[in-house]
Each structure stands twice: as C-alpha cells, then as structure tokens.
C-alpha cells in the first residue's frame, strides 16, 4: 500500500488530538437529527476520532492575519428586483409530500 | 433620564433591565430570496416557490429592495451602515423551516450601532427624552406557520410566510420600565412607518418582539435574562416585562436562580412560561452561507438610500414648533405617526392656499381643529384618520370659512358635525342649510329694533345700570337671526341701539 | 459501418448532420447498449423513451434546417441533477421516489441544445465518495479489469462513477459529472476517459443536489477533450438563479481548440511529488512533461507550499457545508419519511434521517456538525477557511511563473471494489491531487495518459487559471494527441 507516509502523518496528528467520547457522538447525532443507538455511536467513535485527528494537522498552519476565503472566485452579489415572479404552484410544492392534507404538509403533532 | 421604576420585593427594591429584539417585516412585493409573493392571507402554500420549500438544488437570490430598506432604516436610526456584510446559516430543525437553517446574519450584519431618542411623556416631549442604543440590524428570513388545531394527531405546515424578509432590530439593554419599553417600540414603529420599510402592523405579525428581561438590585451587575419570544402588541410587551420581572424577583427571593431560557407569553393568563427546553437549542452552528456572496454596498447605493429618506419624526416635530409655531404638545401629537403628519401637512397647505396666507399663519388653527375637532369626531365614529369622511381639502375649506367670517364658531361646529355625517363639502352645507353668518347691518338693526320695542321694560332696567342684561339682548338677537348673525356686528349694533 | 456506440459526441453530431445515420438510429443503438449494461449498474433510471423523443425531434429539426448544437446526441445525466418528471435521488434512499417538478439548469441547457437523455447515472450517495461504493442503489462496476486474468470488480472512481463507467464502456457517448473535490477527474482517470471541472461558477448549480456549495461544480465527461469542449459549451453560462454563477460570456471552446503550446509555461508543483507515489504514476508524470515540451511548452518548477493541508481543510469545509445542505432531507416535504409508533416531530426527523442516509453520508454530516458546533467553530472551520485562502494564494503566486500546472490526476490506478471501503482516510487520499484546485475554484481537466502494469488506465491533470478553460483544454488536447490513448476495456458485461 502506497499511503504509508501520508498515513503516518495522520497517525501523528491523531495522537495529539482531543478525542470524542460516546456521549459526544450521541450529542452530535442528536444535533444532526440522526437516530443512533449507543452501539452505533460506539462503532462510529473511532472513525470520527481518526478523521478529526487527521484534520487537526491544520493547527500547524500559521494563519495569523489571514482572512477566511469569502468568495471562491471574485464575484459580486447581484441583487434581484423586487417583483413577484414565482409561487402559485401548490400542486408542484405538495406533489412529493409523504403526507399532505387540505393544501398543507402534515407532520406529527407539535406541542409548543 | 433615570427610570424610577422599581419592583418591591421582600428584600427591598429591584430594578428591571430590558432589551428588545424587534422583528419587523420588510415591506416588499416578493420574498427575501425567492420571487414568491409576500401578500398576506392567501390560501395555504400558494405563495411558495420551490426555493421556499427547500426543494433539492434550489438556491437563494437576494432581493435588493429588502437590503435597501434595511439600509434606509439604519440611516434613519443614525446607525452605522456596514458596506460589507454577509449572510450566515443558523441551523436548527423545525417543521416551519424547510431548509433546516434560517438564512440570517450573525457575524457581519448589514447595519451596526445606532440609537433612538424616546420621549416618555407626550405632554413634555423634550423634558423626558431617553436615548436607547441600537446594537445592530440584520436581515433574515421569516419562518412558515404551523397549525396545531386542525387535526387530532397532526400539525399542518403552511409555508406562505416562509422566506419573507425580516429586519431584526436589536436594542441595547437600555430600558428600565414597561413604559420605556412601550415608548421605545412606539417610536421605533413610528420611524419604520415614516421610512416605509415596515408597515408596523402588529396584529398581522409584521412587527413582533423578543423581550429580554433581567432584574437586579440597584447598582448590581446585570442578572441572568430570559427571552420571551414573539410578543405581538405593545400592551403585551409591557405585560411581559411586568410579570417576568415579578416572577424573577419572587424566584430569587425564594432562593431560586433565574435560568437563561426562552419563554412564551400566554395573553389569556397574562403570564410567561418556559418553552419546552431543548438541550441543543443554543447550538445553532452558524456559518457563512456558501450559496450567497458577501454583500458589498457601493457608496452610491448608500447615498441614494439616504437621499430617499423622508423628514423623520423628530426633525418634523422641531420644525412644527419652530417654523409653524405649534405648541410642543401639538407638534408631538401631529408627528407621532407619519399618516397624521401627512394629513396635517395637506391641511395646512390647503389652508394657506385658500386663505392666501403663509402656512405659519394658518398652521395653529389647523392643528387645533385637527387635534380637538377632527380627532374627537373620528373617535366618536370609531374610525382612523385614513378613513376620515372629511378630507384635508374639506377641512381647509371649513377653516377658511371661519377665517373669512362666513361661519361663526358655533356655526362651524354645526357644519363640521354635518360634514362628519355626510362627507359633504362645507360650502354646500352652508348653502343648503342656509348657515351662512350675516353681517348685513340693515337686517340686524331691524331685528334689534323689534326686540328693543318688545322688551321696553328690560331696556329701562339696562339703562338704569343693570349691565348684565346685555347678554339677554344678544341672545334674543341671535335667536331671531337663527344664529347666523355675526356676533361681533350684533354686539356693536346693540351697544349703539342701547345707548 | 462502425458501431454507432463507438462514436463520440462530435462524430455523432457530424455524422447525423451529414446524413450518415438518423438520430433515431443513434438513440436506438445507445438504448440497446444501456439495456445490456446491467452488470455495470451505471444507471439508476433508464429513460429510453426520452432519448427517442429527443431523437425524433432532432430528425425533424434537421429536415427543417433547424438542427441545434447537440441535436442527435444522446447523453447520460448524473443523478445529482434534478430532471423534471424523472426520479432524481442523488443515489440516496432518502430521496427515493422523488420526482422533481423542475429541471436543473445544466441538464436543461443540454436538452435545450438538442441532446437526448438516456437515463440517470448512478453515483456515490450525495456525491460523497471516491469509489462509487456509497450509492443506495448498489456499487457501480468499472468495465476495466486487471490484466491478471482474474475478474475482481474494479472501482470506476467516484463520485461520478456511473458516468465514468458508462462512458468507458461505450454505453453513452458522454455524460454530465459533478466535481466537489475530484469527483469528475478521479473517476475519469480510473476509467481512461476525459473529465473537465470548469471554473467555480461557470456552470449553474441550480437544480443540482447540493453537497458542498462552495465547491460543487458540474462538468462534462467524455472520451475526448474535444467532446468535453462541445459539452461544456452547452452546459455553461450565467444563470440568475444561482448567486454564485459567473456573469461571463461562454467562449467557443470547441472552435478555439489548439494543441500548440508554444510560448506557454507549464508548472510542475514540487509538493505533488508524494514520496510513496507508485513508480508508474511518477513515470507517467515524467512522460507528460515530455509531451508538453514536445508541444512547444516551457517547463518550470513551482511551489504550492500549502498543498498538504488541502485535504484536511477540504474534509472540514465540505462536511460542514454538507451538514447544513442535507438538513432539508427531513421527511416533511418529499422523499422518505419514517415515523416510529408515537414519534413526535423531532423523533420522526431522526428516524427518517437514520434510515435514509448511508454510512458515509452520516459520517460526513457528523463531522460537519461537530466542526461547526459550539466551541469548535474557530479551531476547525475558521482555520480551514483561512488555510483555504492560503491555498488559493499559492496558486495565484504560481501563475506568476507559469500558465498551467501538470500533475497526476490520482495517486494510484483504480482499486478493487471493497479494497478501501473500511478505511475512510485512505479513501479520502484518492483526491489528494484534485482537492487543492477545487478549494481554489480553478478549472482542471483529466486526460488519460497510459496504462498501469496491471493494465488499468492512469490519468494526468492540467490545472489552469480561473476562467481559462480554453488554455486548460488546449494543454489537455496537446497531451491527448501525444498520449494516443486508445486502450479500451474488453466487453464482459
Ligand atoms: Mg431573538
Ligand atoms: Zn431573528
């Protein structure tokens, strides 16, 4: 396998990395609204830690005084005119709905 | 101005600290990021584009008018306009938010710090001014609507409002009483309506406030605040401050601690309650929206926005006082709402034209008539100025008839009542009902002669020194003239006839 | 007569116009090829009737003297593009059955130009993958096999693996791909075809299922540079419906093609010389340098110092954007909905998303959610976007001394399906040469250069300046001319 060198670099970084525990994995899954059992979280944990450890090598880069990239290619915001050009297509909007009733999307009842 | 509003607790006095986040719907035909209509009260899901429904691959394109209105609003609040701003995604899951994120502005809002001067007493607009800081104004999308009462186990989702442009106007925690919070919102609403960036219609939800409240002992550090969401009237905002401050004081004095949380106001019970708190409610994972480029406003864009601003309420109030000679109170009343000022200015201009005098000479009478007569009349009818049966031109006509002596005060009142009822022109009423005041000395002299002849005993008494009887003769003369005689002429002629 | 399915876009277009065959004959030939390709699993949906419909219209138009640029040419469309009235899933379960009431701008442009649609091409789920093993609709198999006599199914690369496999197998003459970190170029390299990622903003993203908005870019895949030029000309163009679309005229790239590189400087970035790179990749790269020199170019050494940070930056930025882009798949308005007994709204979301997303998609959503979450945002996301600035700056500085960069496309030839699937990072490293130019939004083309010792295709990549697609294609053409790559997978499916 020819990735040994790159993998070694990854290994170094992951050793330094703060690692994510099962509870954190579950919290992230809940934030992302992905149902997850403790066993699944347990299985995912080392994978996530590997990836996070690997990306943490970015910490080596001195970015002081560097602005985050704002636009990939220099380009300006174009502003739309304030005119009604769309809407009035309820059938299209609801066509793929798992449950639609009386012109509404329907979801399990929400108690506020 | 230091507020003296205090809450009496078991352990002494408490101060309340209030900050408001006002969501104001930006006046626009189409939505912030789609071409769907913003019209109110349509059939469900009809004002919805594929973009609003977050169909796969759909992209936002910003409505320039919404940005322009936010900039105009910022300029009206003497705020800093950020020539470089951008949109961020605020991530959370809810059925009224199809994208799974709200496009908003956290890191670089379009408008920075500004301020509003608020008068706490209309009768003394200058003496009770308090400056409330504006922290920022950002532009964001409104959410859709959930209906919970149409189905036993389902909620229904209507996306018509989804994506409508809002300005979130965030104040500093500079208010210290329910009255100040109310005055702030009233003034803010007034400015937005002057600017035309929001219709300020709280009943329809075009303006609503998140009310941040905390309490502290005078001089202490800021306490923990709660945020009561989406309060949609000034009265409710004041109620939220009162009840929430009271609740916090009671809680602390009972040994509890205030939790930083979002709450809901229940107008029926007049109290706030905790929203079912979600553990991740505060982890919105904001980041710049990669579908949208940074907003770079040119110098000309800002200059044009500035040039398009109308005279704002404070400037107008000062002008009414200084140039038109109105009282501080009248000037404040007439400028509180853009609609009133517009009406008044129409009235004053017409009056000046009709009477051939400068506005400054007619403005006082116009202001008095508008504030005491017309407001009173409309009040009785239960209608607003914008549905007044009397137009500004008709009002000016009435005032002109008084000024040229055609109508006496009492006659003018009579004509006014008929105008209010029928919407007819005052001249037509005067003509048809024969209400014109007469200064015809011959006719008046003839009537006086008859009255003196019929009341020779009283003439004797008067001449014998009973001065009070003069009023009796005036009354008799006016009665005989059916109220149409010019009272000044009557007085003169009576004095002459009585010697 | 040669088999119609052996013809490329230009040849079909010209043959059709010259009366060598009708558009219907072309469509029927490719429909048959599509029908017989199930072993490769390139298609999620086949649309032979659409291909015929367009063909009949092309025949009518030609007779009426109204033929359009792509009249008579049938194409495959990657399933990341929403196609009106035809199921569009991005190869996911969560969008299974979704039939868009709208057409993506890019596929619409192609249809508008007269092209027909043979079907929706399989891909990595939500374009997340480099081997086409993450599709809900099963792996795509490359037509290529190792020359060891075995029949190990090989990866066609990803995420545009259905596209690459179908083109390499002559099942479609050309097709659309999309590239976020290499998803056009790496599969092109793995299957011995050409693939072009244009400048970010050249092709509208409207109607293309979003993976990572600041990186996603559509592009053509075909068996020649010229065919890529023809296709890109039809796909590209300003679109007011995409705020990031570039308001630039679309040049006549096909007409501007020239393999003469006299006066051009080709940069060789030293950081792309990875120590463990297979010898045959290095050898091909050196060969490429010779070809460029032969075409008249001057070769210069350049440095892109932040190259090694491109992949880690990419694996923060792309998942972060994806975690938000994929939040709309919640079971409310379209696609899958899972409602366990008594589930409330939030539980319905979680169950739907757990059932609807594959493992790799979940992994990336989790990473993206984590790097954006409270307390980690600056350390991960902000830092990655700053590093991105440095990477873009590296390229800008390189352009001071050269016109194009020549690099290998991928660090290896195709691997067998399953070989890397349990090591995400090893999989991610496939894109080591393609990700930097994606982060900088630059145009790049992958062109086949030769075969590995195992008989598998290897590719070279040309990267150019923003908006210089013409230059990139010309350098690609010079290489194509000299490589003379004619190898072809033997038909076994
Ligand atoms: Mg708020
Ligand atoms: Zn808000």
């Amino acid at each position: 396998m020819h990735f040994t060198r790159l993998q070694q670099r990854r290994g170094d970084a992951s050793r330094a990395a703060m690692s994510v525990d099962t509870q954190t994995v579950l919290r992230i899954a809940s934030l992302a609204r992905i149902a997850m059992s403790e066993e699944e979280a347990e299985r995912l944990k080392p994978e996530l830690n590997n990836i996070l450890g690997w990306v943490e090598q970015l910490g080596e880069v001195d970015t002081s005084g560097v602005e985050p990239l704002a636009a990939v290619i220099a380009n300006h915001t174009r502003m739309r005119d304030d005119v009604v050009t769309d809407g009035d297509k309820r059938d299209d909007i609801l066509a793929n709905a798992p449950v639609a009733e009386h012109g509404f999307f329907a979801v399990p009842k929400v108690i506020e | 101005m230091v507020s003296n509003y205090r809450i009496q607790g078991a352990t002494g006095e408490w101060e309340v600290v209030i900050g408001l986040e006002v969501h104001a719907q930006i006046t626009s035909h189409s939505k912030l990021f789609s071409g769907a209509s913003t019209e109110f009260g349509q059939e469900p899901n009809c004002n919805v584009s594929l973009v609003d429904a977050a169909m796969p691959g759909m992209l936002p394109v910003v409505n320039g008018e919404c940005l322009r209105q936010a900039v105009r609003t910022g300029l009206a609040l003497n705020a800093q306009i950020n020539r470089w701003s951008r949109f961020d995604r605020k991530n959370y899951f809810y059925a009224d938010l199809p994208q799974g994120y709200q496009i908003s502005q956290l890191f670089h809002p379009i408008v920075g710090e500004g301020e509003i001067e608020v008068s706490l007493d209309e009768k003394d607009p200058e003496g009770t001014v308090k400056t409330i800081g504006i922290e920022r104004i950002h532009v964001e999308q409104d959410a859709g609507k959930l209906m919970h009462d149409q189905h036993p186990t389902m909620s229904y989702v209507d996306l018509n409002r989804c994506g409508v442009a809002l300005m979130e106007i965030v104040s500093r925690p500079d208010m210290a009483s329910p009255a100040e919070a109310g005055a702030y919102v009233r003034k803010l609403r007034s400015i937005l309506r002057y600017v035309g960036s929001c219709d300020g219609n709280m009943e329809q939800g075009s303006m609503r406030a998140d009310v941040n409240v905390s309490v502290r002992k005078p001089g202490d550090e800021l306490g923990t605040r709660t945020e009561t969401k989406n309060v949609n009237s000034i009265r409710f905002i004041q109620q939220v401050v009162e009840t929430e401050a009271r609740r916090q004081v009671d809680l602390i004095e009972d040994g509890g601690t205030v939790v930083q949380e979002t709450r809901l106001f229940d107008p029926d019970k007049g109290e706030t309650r905790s929203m079912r708190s979600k553990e991740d409610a505060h982890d919105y994972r904001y980041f710049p929206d990669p579908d949208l480029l940074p907003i770079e406003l040119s110098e000309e864009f800002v200059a044009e926005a500035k040039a398009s601003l109308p005279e704002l309420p404070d400037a107008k109030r000062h002008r009414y006082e200084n140039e038109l000679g109105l009282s501080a109170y009248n000037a404040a009343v007439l400028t509180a709402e853009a609609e009133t000022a517009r009406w008044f200015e129409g009235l004053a201009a017409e009056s000046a034209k009709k009477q051939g005098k400068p506005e400054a000479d007619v403005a006082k009478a116009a202001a008095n008539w508008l504030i005491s007569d017309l407001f009173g009349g409309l009040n009785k009818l239960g209608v607003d100025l914008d549905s007044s049966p009397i137009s500004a031109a008709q009002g000016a006509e009435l005032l002109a008839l008084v000024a040229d002596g055609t109508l006496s005060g009492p006659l003018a009142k009579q004509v006014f009542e008929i105008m209010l009822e029928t919407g007819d022109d005052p001249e037509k009423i005067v003509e048809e009902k024969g209400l014109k005041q007469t200064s015809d000395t011959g006719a008046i002299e003839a009537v006086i002669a008859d009255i003196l002849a019929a009341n020779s005993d009283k003439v004797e008494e008067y001449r014998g020194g009973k001065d009070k009887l003069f009023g009796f003769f005036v009354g008799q003369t006016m009665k005989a003239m059916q109220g149409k005689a010019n009272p000044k002429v009557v007085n003169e002629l009576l004095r002459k006839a009585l010697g | 007569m040669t088999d119609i399915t052996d013809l490329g876009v230009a040849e079909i277009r010209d043959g059709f116009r010259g009366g060598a065959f009708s558009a219907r004959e072309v469509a029927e030939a490719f429909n048959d090829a599509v029908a017989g390709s199930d072993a490769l699993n390139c298609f999620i949906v086949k649309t032979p009737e659409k291909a015929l419909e367009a063909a009949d219209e092309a025949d009518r138009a030609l007779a009426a003297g109204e033929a359009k640029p792509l009249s008579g040419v049938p194409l495959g469309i990657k399933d990341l593009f929403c196609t009106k009235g035809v199921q569009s899933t991005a190869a996911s379960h969560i969008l299974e059955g979704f039939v868009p009431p709208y057409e993506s701008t890019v596929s619409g442009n192609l249809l508008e130009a007269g092209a027909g649609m043979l079907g929706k091409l399989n891909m990595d789920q939500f374009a997340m993958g480099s081997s086409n093993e993450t599709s809900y609709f099963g792996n795509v198999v490359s037509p290529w096999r190792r020359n060891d006599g075995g029949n190990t199914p090989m990866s066609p690369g990803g995420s545009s693996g259905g596209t690459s496999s179908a083109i390499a197998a002559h099942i479609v003459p050309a097709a659309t791909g999309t590239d976020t970190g290499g998803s056009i170029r790496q599969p092109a390299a793995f299957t011995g075809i050409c693939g072009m990622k244009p400048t970010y903003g050249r092709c509208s993203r409207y109607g293309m299922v979003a993976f990572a908005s600041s990186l996603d870019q559509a592009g053509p895949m075909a068996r020649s540079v010229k065919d890529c030029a023809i296709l890109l000309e039809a796909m590209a163009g300003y679109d007011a419906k995409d705020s990031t679309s570039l308001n630039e005229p679309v040049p006549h790239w096909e007409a501007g093609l020239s393999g003469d590189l006299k006066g051009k400087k080709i940069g060789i970035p030293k950081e792309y010389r990875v120590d463990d790179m297979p010898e045959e990749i290095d050898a091909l790269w050196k060969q490429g340098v010779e070809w460029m020199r032969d075409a008249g170019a001057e070769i210069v050494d350049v440095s892109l110092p932040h190259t090694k940070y491109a992949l880690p930056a990419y694996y923060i930025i792309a998942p972060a954007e994806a975690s938000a882009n994929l939040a709309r798949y919640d079971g409310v308005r379209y696609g899958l909905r899972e409602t366990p007994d008594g589930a409330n709204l939030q539980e319905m979301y979680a169950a739907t998303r757990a059932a609807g997303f594959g493992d790799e998609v979940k992994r990336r959503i989790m990473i993206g959610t984590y790097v954006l979450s409270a307390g980690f945002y600056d350390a991960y996301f902000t830092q990655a976007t700053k590093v991105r600035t440095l990477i873009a700056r590296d390229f800008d500085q390189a352009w001071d001394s050269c016109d194009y960069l020549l690099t290998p496309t991928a660090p290896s030839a195709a691997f067998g399906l399953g070989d890397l699937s349990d090591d995400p990072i090893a999989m991610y490293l496939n894109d080591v040469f393609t990700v930097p130019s994606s982060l900088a939004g630059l145009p790049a083309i992958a062109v086949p250069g030769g075969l590995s010792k195992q008989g598998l295709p290897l590719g070279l990549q040309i990267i150019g300046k923003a908006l210089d697609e013409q230059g990139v294609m010309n350098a690609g053409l010079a290489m194509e001319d000299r490589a003379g790559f004619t190898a072809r997978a033997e038909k076994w499916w």
Side-chain angles (χ1 to χ4, degrees):
Chain A
M1 198 61 235
H2 52 262
F3 290 116
T4 40
R5 182 68 182 280
L6 288 161
Q7 281 172 324
Q8 202 178 337
R9 189 192 293 148
R10 163 188 72 187
D12 293 346
S14 67
R15 238 171 287 136
M18 175 169 32
S19 76
V20 167
D21 59 18
T22 309
Q23 279 319 300
T24 307
V25 175
L26 287 170
R27 187 177 63 79
I28 297 297
S30 144
L31 259 182
R33 295 296 184 278
I34 296 173
M36 195 174 285
S37 66
E38 203 147 326
E39 296 73 57
E40 287 172 277
E42 205 64 58
R43 185 168 54 75
L44 202 54
K45 184 176 67 175
E47 288 178 13
L48 296 184
N49 276 323
N50 265 339
I51 296 167
L52 290 169
W54 173 63
V55 299
E56 266 166 25
Q57 62 179 290
L58 285 184
E60 304 162 17
V61 184
D62 179 6
T63 54
S64 44
V66 177
E67 287 295 319
L69 193 76
V72 184
I73 297 294
N75 199 349
H76 294 281
T77 322
R78 287 178 306 270
M79 298 183 194
R80 231 177 65 231
D81 288 340
D82 182 29
V83 283
V84 176
T85 55
D86 207 341
D88 229 347
K89 50 174 69 158
R90 182 157 81 185
D91 291 348
D92 280 353
I93 297 296
L94 297 176
N96 284 282
V99 189
E101 289 179 10
H102 311 299
F104 295 96
F105 296 103
V107 297
K109 199 171 193 86
V110 177
I111 298 123
E112 270 176 335
Chain B
M1 261 300 292
V2 177
S3 169
N4 50 16
Y5 181 83
R6 294 286 184 277
I7 294 159
Q8 296 303 324
T11 60
E13 290 192 329
W14 294 77
E15 288 177 352
V16 58
V17 178
I18 307 152
L20 294 175
E21 296 160 25
V22 173
H23 285 94
Q25 179 181 333
I26 299 177
T27 303
S28 68
H29 301 293
S30 62
K31 294 183 178 180
L32 180 55
F33 295 115
S34 88
S37 168
T38 58
E39 205 179 318
F40 186 79
Q42 298 296 293
E43 287 287 296
N45 290 308
C46 282
N47 286 350
V48 180
S49 75
L50 299 164
V51 175
D52 305 321
M55 292 284 166
M58 291 300 100
L59 298 169
V61 182
V62 74
N63 181 339
E65 175 63 10
C66 298
L67 300 181
R68 196 180 76 94
Q69 289 292 23
V71 167
R72 294 176 76 242
T73 304
L75 291 166
L77 301 179
N78 297 311
Q80 188 196 324
I81 304 303
N82 293 325
R83 298 268 300 280
W84 194 98
S85 65
R86 71 173 305 165
F87 287 105
D88 303 301
R89 293 181 181 179
K90 177 183 184 180
N91 296 285
Y92 64 96
F93 287 89
Y94 204 60
D96 62 7
L97 187 73
Q99 293 164 148
Y101 52 85
Q102 179 196 32
I103 305 179
S104 181
Q105 298 187 300
L106 176 73
F107 301 109
H108 299 282
I110 191 162
V111 177
E113 285 190 79
E115 59 184 37
I116 295 189
E117 286 196 347
V118 172
S119 306
L120 299 173
D121 181 3
E122 208 174 48
K123 298 242 189 289
D124 181 15
E126 292 296 337
T128 55
V129 167
K130 174 158 181 171
T131 302
I132 311 290
I134 302 289
E135 188 181 308
R136 57 190 278 149
I137 302 177
H138 60 259
V139 175
E140 63 187 20
Q141 302 174 294
D142 203 351
K145 224 179 153 158
L146 281 186
M147 247 103 24
H148 306 300
D149 48 6
Q150 319 251 322
H151 190 285
T153 60
M154 304 268 228
S155 291
Y156 283 166
V157 186
D158 174 14
L159 300 179
N160 278 351
R161 281 199 70 85
C162 190
V164 165
L166 303 177
M167 294 179 274
E168 182 171 334
I169 302 160
V170 183
S171 85
R172 295 243 169 247
D174 285 349
M175 288 154 278
S177 71
E180 287 183 16
Y184 166 79
V185 175
R186 227 172 279 125
K187 183 65 173 285
L188 179 62
R189 184 177 60 182
S190 161
I191 293 172
L192 297 181
R193 283 175 169 165
Y194 265 84
V195 169
S197 57
C198 170
D199 67 20
N201 192 334
M202 297 186 87
E203 303 78 63
Q204 285 186 3
S206 344
M207 230 182 122
R208 46 196 202 259
D210 297 343
V211 185
N212 290 285
V213 174
S214 64
V215 296
R216 63 176 172 193
K217 284 287 178 70
D220 276 4
E221 297 281 289
L222 284 177
T224 304
R225 70 186 162 90
T226 62
E227 179 179 359
T228 305
K229 290 277 194 192
N230 279 331
V231 187
N232 64 359
S233 84
I234 291 175
R235 193 164 58 87
F236 290 161
I237 290 169
Q238 297 186 331
Q239 241 175 304
V240 165
V241 173
E242 280 166 31
T243 58
E244 184 53 21
R246 181 82 251 170
R247 186 189 70 83
Q248 291 182 13
V249 166
D250 292 348
L251 183 65
I252 298 167
E253 290 190 332
D254 285 352
T257 42
V258 176
V259 192
Q260 183 168 346
E261 61 177 356
T262 50
R263 299 180 68 85
L264 267 184
F265 180 62
D266 183 338
D268 297 331
K269 295 188 185 145
E271 56 186 38
T272 67
R273 63 183 158 83
S274 180
M275 286 176 91
R276 284 193 315 150
S277 65
K278 289 162 220 137
E279 47 176 323
D280 54 32
H282 294 289
D283 200 344
Y284 291 122
R285 290 158 285 134
Y286 278 98
F287 76 104
D289 191 327
D291 284 334
L292 292 158
L293 295 158
I295 305 158
E296 289 160 274
L297 302 178
S298 67
E299 215 166 308
E300 301 84 74
F301 183 94
V302 178
E304 276 166 28
K306 188 159 203 170
S308 76
L309 284 182
E311 186 182 28
L312 293 167
D314 285 344
K316 213 179 258 301
R317 181 162 57 84
H318 289 132
R319 181 168 63 82
Y320 285 7
E321 283 183 54
N322 300 333
E323 292 176 22
L324 300 182
L326 303 193
S327 68
Y329 172 74
N330 276 5
V333 170
L334 292 177
T335 54
E337 289 296 336
E339 198 44 50
T340 314
R342 210 169 296 140
W343 215 98
F344 169 71
E345 286 174 17
L347 177 70
E350 281 287 321
S351 287
K353 205 168 82 189
K354 288 200 158 82
Q355 298 178 35
K357 293 178 186 163
E359 271 187 44
D361 292 358
V362 299
K364 242 177 158 157
N368 286 330
W369 176 78
L370 178 53
I371 291 171
S372 42
D373 293 16
L374 186 60
F375 280 173
L378 296 177
N379 215 3
K380 264 184 256 159
L381 290 181
V383 299
D384 290 336
L385 192 53
D386 56 6
S387 38
S388 163
I390 302 174
S391 71
Q394 289 174 318
E397 186 58 46
L398 180 63
L399 290 170
L401 290 172
V402 174
D404 72 7
T406 308
L407 290 178
S408 63
L411 271 183
K413 282 257 193 289
Q414 239 178 295
V415 173
F416 170 72
E417 293 298 335
I418 298 169
M419 290 169 75
L420 209 52
E421 211 169 288
T422 63
D424 282 345
D425 285 347
E427 275 180 316
K428 181 176 169 233
I429 296 167
V430 167
E431 207 58 51
E432 283 179 4
K433 309 250 165 177
L435 290 176
K436 205 171 220 161
Q437 153 175 292
T438 181
S439 306
D440 176 346
T441 46
I444 298 172
E445 275 170 343
V447 167
I448 288 177
D450 287 352
I451 286 166
L452 297 194
N455 296 284
S456 49
D457 51 337
K458 292 221 166 59
V459 173
E460 282 309 308
E461 284 177 48
Y462 175 80
R463 288 185 176 144
K466 205 164 174 191
D467 291 354
K468 275 189 194 154
L469 277 169
F470 189 76
F472 165 79
F473 295 114
V474 172
Q476 289 296 306
T477 310
M478 291 304 280
K479 196 174 161 195
M481 293 293 296
Q482 289 168 301
K484 287 172 238 166
N486 183 329
K488 214 166 104 196
V489 177
V490 170
N491 279 343
E492 263 168 40
L493 295 177
L494 263 177
R495 252 179 247 290
K496 211 164 80 187
L498 286 166
Chain C
M1 186 186 130
T2 45
D3 190 338
I4 286 177
T5 59
D6 286 341
L7 305 179
V9 173
E11 294 157 323
I12 293 171
R13 178 192 63 189
D14 299 343
F16 159 71
R17 288 176 180 231
F21 38 74
S22 69
R24 181 162 259 270
E25 287 174 275
V26 176
E28 280 170 350
F30 281 104
N31 277 345
D32 287 349
V34 170
S37 70
D38 287 357
L40 300 177
N41 198 28
C42 298
F43 285 88
I44 295 175
V45 177
K46 297 165 185 164
T47 56
E49 69 296 340
K50 295 254 170 212
L52 290 177
E53 201 180 294
D56 291 345
E57 167 56 20
D59 286 330
R60 188 208 60 75
L62 184 64
E66 298 163 1
K68 295 175 175 175
L70 289 177
S71 285
V73 181
L75 298 171
I77 302 292
K78 187 179 182 180
D79 201 36
L80 201 64
F81 295 92
C82 288
T83 43
K84 189 172 183 171
V86 178
Q87 177 186 266
S88 305
T89 67
S92 72
H93 184 34
I94 208 160
L95 274 176
E96 197 173 3
F98 174 65
V99 179
Y102 53 93
E103 186 78 35
S104 82
T105 297
V106 161
S107 56
N109 284 349
L110 289 169
L111 300 180
E112 194 52 45
M117 180 168 84
L118 291 161
K120 299 299 290 291
L121 291 160
N122 204 347
M123 52 180 281
D124 275 306
Q125 190 170 145
F126 284 107
M128 296 176 186
S130 303
S131 64
N132 227 297
E133 292 169 287
T134 71
S135 167
Y136 176 72
F137 300 93
N139 298 345
V140 175
V141 182
S142 171
W144 291 89
R145 285 179 167 172
R146 293 191 180 112
N147 56 11
D148 56 6
N151 53 7
T152 313
M154 304 302 293
S155 166
S159 66
S160 309
T163 301
S164 65
S165 175
I167 295 169
H170 294 226
I171 294 166
V172 300
T176 60
T178 68
D179 192 311
T180 302
S183 279
I184 285 177
R185 294 161 285 165
Q186 181 258 16
F190 274 21
T191 56
I193 65 168
C194 291
M196 169 103 194
K197 180 195 96 70
T199 309
Y200 179 82
R202 266 291 190 201
C203 290
S204 168
R205 294 184 295 114
Y206 178 87
M208 192 171 95
V209 173
F211 160 19
S213 309
S214 75
L215 294 147
D216 295 344
Q217 206 25 226
M221 296 171 75
R223 287 189 298 270
S224 73
V225 173
K226 183 178 180 181
D227 285 0
C228 284
I230 294 170
L231 234 56
L232 185 58
E233 228 172 287
M235 293 164 75
Y238 170 63
D239 182 6
K241 290 186 289 207
D242 173 0
S243 302
T244 60
S245 160
L246 291 168
N247 195 356
E248 297 284 340
V250 176
H252 297 295
W253 286 308
E254 183 191 6
L257 283 176
S258 155
D260 182 358
L261 300 184
K262 266 195 247 16
K264 299 293 182 193
K265 288 182 184 162
I266 307 278
I268 308 300
K270 66 169 195 250
E271 290 78 7
Y272 283 51
R273 212 162 275 137
V274 185
D275 295 315
D276 312 296
M277 195 151 66
E279 189 273 324
E280 54 194 11
I281 300 269
D282 197 40
L284 177 67
W285 195 6
K286 291 199 173 92
Q287 177 65 64
V289 167
E290 288 317 309
W291 288 332
M292 295 290 96
R293 215 172 253 141
D294 183 59
E298 183 190 332
I299 308 298
V300 296
D301 285 325
V302 298
S303 172
L304 301 168
H306 296 91
T307 297
K308 77 165 186 169
Y309 299 107
L311 264 183
Y314 175 87
Y315 275 95
I316 288 172
I317 293 165
E321 293 183 8
S323 71
N325 281 335
L326 271 59
R328 64 188 56 197
Y329 306 106
D330 60 7
V332 175
R333 296 165 314 287
Y334 43 76
L336 183 74
R337 174 186 292 193
E338 288 285 320
T339 317
D341 260 357
N344 66 25
L345 177 71
Q346 300 295 342
E347 288 158 356
M348 184 273 273
Y349 288 156
T352 298
R353 292 162 61 78
F357 291 137
D359 285 346
E360 180 61 22
V361 174
K362 287 183 194 169
R363 197 178 284 135
R364 297 204 197 184
I365 291 175
M366 293 285 288
I367 293 286
T369 304
Y370 181 77
V371 298
L372 290 176
S373 68
F376 298 105
Y377 177 79
D378 280 330
Y380 288 105
F381 189 79
T382 309
Q383 177 72 356
T385 51
K386 288 177 175 175
V387 169
R388 190 175 184 182
T389 300
L390 294 173
I391 288 164
R393 212 177 273 170
D394 283 355
F395 282 106
D396 277 345
Q397 279 158 9
W399 303 138
D400 290 343
S401 54
C402 67
D403 300 292
Y404 321 114
L405 298 167
L406 172 67
T407 80
T409 307
S412 74
F415 44 84
L417 288 167
D419 282 0
L420 299 182
S421 49
D422 53 3
D423 188 348
I425 295 177
M427 187 68 86
Y428 298 167
L429 291 170
N430 263 288
D431 294 328
V432 64
F433 300 135
T434 50
V435 154
S437 45
S438 289
L439 287 170
L442 302 174
I445 197 167
V447 176
L451 294 177
S452 72
K453 287 190 280 298
Q454 295 182 316
L456 297 173
L458 299 172
L460 288 169
Q461 172 180 235
I462 301 285
I463 301 167
K465 298 170 195 169
L467 294 173
D468 188 19
E469 281 82 3
Q470 187 74 68
V472 169
M473 288 192 251
N474 285 352
L477 182 66
M479 197 149 65
E480 182 181 53
D481 286 346
R482 283 158 186 80
F485 184 88
T486 53
R488 168 172 181 186
E490 218 167 290
K491 187 170 189 304
W492 53 261
W493 56 93

